[in-house]
Amino acid sequence: MVNQISSYSLQLVAPVRHHFLGRGEVFELAERLYGPFDWGPFNPQSRVEMQTLEKLLQWLVETTGQQNMHLQVANSLDVGQFGAVSYYLLSCSSLHEFFVQLTRVQELLFARTEPLTMRHDEFGLYLEMKLSHAATPQVQRRIEYVFANILRMIQSIAGNQCAPERLELPWGDNDRKEDLEQAFECLVEYNSQKIRCVFDSRWMVENLANANPSMLEILRPEVDRMLNSYHKGATFIQRIYEILIGMDSLAGVTLTSIAQAMAMSESTLKRRLADEAATFKSLITSYRQTRTLELLGLQDIDYDHIAHQLGFSERASFERAFKGWYGLTPSKFRNLTRLCTISTPQIDLQQDNHLPSAPGVCRDVIVLLNDDQYEMSSLVGIIRQDPVLTGKIIGMANSAFFGATPVLELEQAIINVLGADTVMNLAIAMLAGSELTRHQPDLIDLGEFWTQSLIAAWWAEQLSLQAGNSKAVCHQHYLVALLAQIGLLLLASLRPKEINVVWPLLNESQSLQEQIRIEQRALGINRFEASSILLAHWKLPGAVVQQIQAISNILRKIHRDGPNVKIVLAGVVMSRNMDHHDLGRVLDQIQSWFPFRMDDGIKALLSENARQVIPEIRELAHHMCA
């Protein structure tokens, strides 16, 4: 006999409570009428009838007088609201896979709700529900609430940019149409044959930032067990889980202690577990694997407490076990769940009002950069307008990197040591950095940022020389690599809270592709796209802007570009691998990017030179930040 309630349906009431935390008297009255509800730490055994939810939503609408209260409440759905099932869905690699799995576990989330179906064609990806009878206003409200929760889950997984193109409803109320379109962030059409949520077909294959096939496979047996429990009633293992959930710690839990708690002998317990195709050891492991996700989803519980509750002797043992299960650290998993909480509007940098103007001196230097016939005296005059910049240029000319006779005058620094191209490149970078970090000076370690950018520029220039490019092209590659990631400073200035959330993930990421997926997920744009838009706005040479945009296109696999862009990208990659014990091997891995073949001697020489200049480049970065 099918249960009349869902193991997770109470979690649909949690957003209602969260929404009314500031008006406790409203929810207290609701709880007296329709409760009581269990508000302890997440407990998959907590239950509530879906009819109760329907009545609760109707009561809230009547009490508040707000017809769309249920849609507002749905936006309060937290990441991990449905425990292991949430993380099962969160691990999906694409929206298509999410829909497939959602239709599979629907009854765990939305008991006694009409079945969801998924289909797709060349025009779109569709999530559908067909009603078997006419929908009363209460049923309409419940269905809208369910779909709003689903869309909230989708945006937690894929980001705000993953919004449906339209929502088709078999009922209609023109007075509410604008509110529904605002809530669902898409066009709403009435009088359709079924409820249909339509997404662009690209989401069939678009990779999602939180994809974790290992977690999906580990949680699949637990989800299967929960589905089995839902259909057949509480299983034997479910009863043991209820005992484990009630324990302060699993330390010391033995077959004997569980047998005593179940009021049976150890041999009977073993036999009953065998009937469920389990052993006591596999049961404890499975429980730990799912419970740890639920506890990590609670941001205020520290890792030591989780390790203790799950029966590990120390935090390090817990962290090793977690990484063995899921292929990532507990801290990275928690940071990923924090990433899913970002719900601010995506940044549209194409709107000029989002972009800062280039500082006056920077603007004048860019004019010279675009002018092949400029006078050296013009450059000296422009730099001299900014005393701070003048001091930095002279300081860099005296640094170990350039290794020249000490100079005291700006003209000497430019003409005798640095050269006009180098001065313009460094001046633009320093002035841009100062402008973009004026309001958020401590958000990003500028010393490390400029060290990485300077190393990337050094590598790009060296590789460009090896390719036989002209001096002008080599200088351009230096500038492109130096400014390629300036967009990160721009994004930090526009969305400091979001960058704070994603920063630990960016630092843990092993590849540029992973970093830009995270940025794309959180902000709707990545650092290279932001750089290209800002530098186009500041009127840098078109070739510079195009090459930086091409880097983003390559990393996002939109298309592949020519060897000049690959040389710059190689510089960025090499700057990220300077701690690798064998830089020659890294060069081997990206050899196909170059329009030339490097022999082992050249690779060894470049690698040795790179390691030697790092301390000198760090000194340059210090001058840039001074």
Side-chain angles (χ1 to χ4, degrees):
M1 177 178 172
V2 175
N3 291 347
Q4 298 303 304
I5 50 181
S6 163
S7 296
Y8 283 91
S9 54
L10 176 64
Q11 304 312 118
L12 289 172
V13 182
V16 179
R17 180 173 181 263
H18 182 275
H19 192 80
F20 284 98
L21 283 179
R23 297 176 60 189
E25 73 285 353
V26 174
F27 195 82
E28 287 172 10
L29 179 56
E31 193 160 27
R32 285 199 296 271
L33 291 170
Y34 302 106
F37 305 122
D38 176 10
W39 297 117
F42 178 85
N43 183 351
Q45 278 68 55
S46 300
R47 303 167 183 263
V48 66
E49 294 186 6
M50 288 298 286
Q51 297 96 321
T52 299
L53 176 64
E54 194 171 290
K55 293 174 183 177
L56 175 61
L57 293 173
Q58 175 66 20
W59 180 83
L60 287 173
V61 167
E62 293 172 354
T63 301
T64 63
Q66 300 179 42
Q67 292 299 310
N68 298 309
M69 174 57 63
H70 59 301
L71 300 178
Q72 297 176 38
V73 167
N75 286 327
S76 300
L77 184 75
D78 288 332
V79 176
Q81 195 82 56
F82 302 110
V85 176
S86 283
Y87 300 117
Y88 182 72
L89 296 173
L90 189 70
S91 303
C92 291
S93 298
S94 66
L95 193 61
H96 175 265
E97 184 177 34
F98 172 83
F99 283 164
V100 170
Q101 299 303 331
L102 177 64
T103 57
R104 179 171 176 258
V105 303
Q106 174 194 350
E107 53 198 348
L108 292 177
L109 310 182
F110 315 118
R112 301 188 67 191
T113 296
E114 295 75 3
L116 289 164
T117 57
M118 184 277 295
R119 67 181 182 85
H120 61 87
D121 57 30
E122 60 184 305
F123 303 108
L125 184 61
Y126 311 92
L127 187 67
E128 300 176 333
M129 177 185 287
K130 187 172 179 62
L131 296 180
S132 57
H133 51 79
T136 65
Q138 290 88 348
V139 170
Q140 292 176 22
R141 192 167 287 111
R142 172 172 57 82
I143 297 297
E144 289 172 3
Y145 183 67
V146 165
F147 268 82
N149 273 282
I150 291 172
L151 291 181
R152 171 66 175 143
M153 280 192 285
I154 290 171
Q155 292 191 338
S156 293
I157 295 169
N160 285 356
Q161 69 270 29
C162 186
E165 292 186 336
R166 68 181 183 277
L167 178 66
E168 301 172 9
L169 298 172
W171 52 81
D173 183 348
N174 287 328
D175 291 339
R176 297 182 59 234
K177 190 172 189 294
E178 183 177 345
D179 291 333
L180 286 171
E181 290 182 340
Q182 183 176 357
F184 288 101
E185 299 180 8
C186 67
L187 179 69
V188 173
E189 296 180 356
Y190 288 141
N191 303 315
S192 65
Q193 294 299 308
K194 60 180 68 174
I195 303 152
R196 179 183 291 117
C197 200
V198 184
F199 288 81
D200 188 278
S201 58
R202 76 182 176 93
W203 291 105
M204 275 286 297
V205 294
E206 185 90 4
N207 289 328
L208 301 181
N210 303 313
N212 190 329
S214 297
M215 186 175 294
L216 197 72
E217 288 308 307
I218 286 174
L219 291 178
R220 192 184 302 276
E222 173 65 9
V223 170
D224 290 343
R225 184 191 62 74
M226 292 163 62
L227 286 167
N228 184 57
S229 175
Y230 173 80
H231 287 291
K232 296 182 178 179
T235 64
F236 181 70
I237 288 179
Q238 191 71 36
R239 289 168 55 199
I240 298 177
Y241 274 21
E242 290 175 8
I243 293 171
L244 297 176
I245 286 175
M247 292 182 171
D248 176 63
S249 172
L250 297 190
V253 170
T254 62
L255 182 73
T256 301
S257 63
I258 295 299
Q260 290 174 348
M262 298 285 287
M264 61 180 61
S265 67
E266 292 182 31
S267 58
T268 300
L269 177 57
K270 286 181 179 179
R271 178 175 54 77
R272 294 290 301 274
L273 286 173
D275 292 342
E276 301 279 350
T279 65
F280 183 72
K281 182 178 179 180
S282 70
L283 179 143
I284 295 298
T285 298
S286 177
Y287 174 80
R288 281 172 161 171
Q289 287 173 333
T290 54
R291 187 61 175 166
T292 188
L293 299 179
E294 295 160 1
L295 294 173
L296 283 170
L298 303 172
Q299 298 289 334
D300 57 342
I301 298 182
D302 63 37
Y303 300 114
D304 290 321
H305 181 84
I306 295 174
H308 169 75
Q309 189 166 337
L310 295 177
F312 290 95
S313 59
E314 58 183 1
R315 173 175 167 173
S317 300
F318 159 63
E319 290 176 336
R320 283 194 298 272
F322 188 91
K323 189 165 185 179
W325 297 332
Y326 297 119
L328 73 169
T329 64
S331 64
K332 185 168 185 178
F333 174 80
R334 178 165 272 178
N335 287 330
L336 281 169
T337 64
R338 291 184 67 207
L339 175 65
C340 294
T341 65
I342 295 177
S343 58
T344 54
Q346 304 293 302
I347 299 176
D348 182 7
L349 292 184
Q350 302 294 348
Q351 300 293 323
D352 286 350
N353 61 335
H354 282 152
L355 296 173
S357 298
V361 172
C362 184
R363 187 168 57 248
D364 292 341
V365 173
I366 292 170
V367 170
L368 288 190
L369 190 67
N370 286 293
D371 181 4
D372 293 335
Q373 306 299 320
Y374 71 88
E375 298 287 339
M376 184 67 73
S377 59
S378 299
L379 176 58
V380 173
I382 290 169
I383 299 295
R384 188 167 279 143
Q385 293 176 41
D386 187 330
V388 174
L389 179 62
T390 299
K392 289 182 177 182
I393 295 293
I394 293 173
M396 297 175 92
N398 285 287
S399 69
F401 183 82
F402 292 101
T405 303
V407 297
L408 301 176
E409 298 296 331
L410 179 62
E411 291 88 339
Q412 291 177 297
I414 297 176
I415 297 171
N416 299 337
V417 182
L418 301 174
D421 287 336
T422 298
V423 167
M424 286 191 286
N425 292 345
L426 293 174
I428 291 170
M430 286 187 283
L431 292 166
S434 296
E435 175 64 24
L436 297 175
T437 56
R438 238 173 353 117
H439 303 298
Q440 299 291 338
D442 300 322
L443 195 58
I444 293 175
D445 182 342
L446 289 180
E448 189 59 32
F449 176 84
W450 285 122
T451 297
Q452 291 294 314
S453 297
L454 286 165
I455 293 173
W458 183 90
W459 270 108
E461 186 174 43
Q462 296 300 313
L463 293 171
S464 189
L465 285 168
Q466 292 298 320
N469 289 320
S470 66
K471 186 176 180 180
V473 170
C474 293
H475 277 300
Q476 186 182 89
H477 285 161
Y478 183 96
L479 178 61
V480 173
L482 183 64
L483 297 178
Q485 301 184 73
I486 197 87
L488 187 58
L489 302 183
L490 174 63
L491 296 177
S493 71
L494 295 175
R495 290 286 192 273
K497 291 182 180 178
E498 289 77 6
I499 289 294
N500 264 329
V501 169
V502 304
W503 196 249
L505 280 172
L506 296 178
N507 286 334
E508 288 184 4
S509 299
Q510 299 299 309
S511 69
L512 272 173
Q513 288 94 333
E514 185 178 0
Q515 285 188 332
I516 68 168
R517 275 201 303 271
I518 291 168
E519 291 163 5
Q520 208 79 35
R521 157 67 183 84
L523 304 166
I525 190 170
N526 66 66
R527 66 186 69 184
F528 298 106
E529 290 176 329
S531 298
S532 65
I533 293 171
L534 175 68
L535 299 179
H537 180 63
W538 285 8
K539 297 184 170 39
L540 265 80
V544 172
V545 173
Q546 290 163 14
Q547 287 184 53
I548 295 176
Q549 179 59 51
I551 292 174
S552 173
N553 293 342
I554 291 171
L555 293 172
R556 294 185 66 195
K557 300 181 179 179
I558 295 175
H559 65 74
R560 299 193 176 276
D561 217 298
N564 280 336
V565 174
K566 295 288 186 62
I567 284 174
V568 176
L569 180 55
V572 175
V573 170
M574 293 306 297
S575 72
R576 294 167 54 88
N577 285 276
M578 291 306 294
D579 57 350
H580 196 285
H581 70 280
D582 187 351
L583 291 178
R585 183 173 297 178
V586 180
L587 285 168
D588 281 339
Q589 292 171 351
I590 58 177
Q591 172 67 61
S592 62
W593 295 2
F594 310 136
F596 59 92
R597 184 74 189 174
M598 278 188 291
D599 61 39
D600 290 342
I602 293 295
K603 285 185 285 190
L605 180 62
L606 285 175
S607 300
E608 181 181 353
N609 289 344
R611 295 199 190 282
Q612 288 178 354
V613 300
I614 286 180
E616 298 170 2
I617 284 178
R618 289 195 180 279
E619 183 188 0
L620 281 183
H622 174 75
H623 283 293
M624 293 182 74
C625 302

